[in-house]
Amino acid sequence: MRSLTLVLAVLVLAGCGGSAWPKTAGDTTCREWTSEMTSDQRHALGAAMLLALRANDGGTIRPRDDVLTAYAKAVGDVCASTPDAKVSAVGATIYGLSNDLKP
């Protein structure tokens, strides 16, 4: 779990056209996810989290785009009811509870 925390703590995105979300998943709250981030930023951060979680489990193949989109939506669904939670914790919990997301 410590290595997972480290992976998520250093997660920073390089976005297109200067529109990257400036915080890591560990520093982003669900309130920010639902009210401040653009849909592109949510999708990019969600994809980066899922890729990092899968890599931590030895995964080397990128999931299909519809899987990445569904994961970001699931993070948003949980965040809607837990505004003070950290996005990294929400993403890790969703990943941990779903066998379909693992490599």
Side-chain angles (χ1 to χ4, degrees):
M1 187 67 172
R2 185 177 177 158
S3 63
L4 171 61
T5 303
L6 179 61
V7 167
L8 291 176
V10 298
L11 183 63
V12 178
L13 298 176
C16 301
S19 65
W21 180 248
K23 294 182 176 183
T24 65
D27 290 331
T28 302
T29 65
C30 280
R31 181 175 287 108
E32 292 169 318
W33 178 279
T34 58
S35 65
E36 296 180 30
M37 294 176 76
T38 67
S39 61
D40 286 344
Q41 289 170 332
R42 288 189 299 269
H43 181 79
L45 186 56
M49 285 192 303
L50 182 55
L51 292 173
L53 290 162
R54 289 172 54 90
N56 192 60
D57 284 342
T60 58
I61 298 173
R62 180 181 172 91
R64 297 181 326 267
D65 281 338
D66 62 321
V67 173
L68 297 171
T69 299
Y71 177 75
K73 182 184 179 320
V75 171
D77 290 347
V78 173
C79 279
S81 63
T82 56
D84 294 327
K86 296 293 185 180
V87 170
S88 59
V90 171
T93 300
I94 291 169
Y95 179 81
L97 293 173
S98 174
N99 290 329
D100 295 336
L101 296 172
K102 295 179 177 66

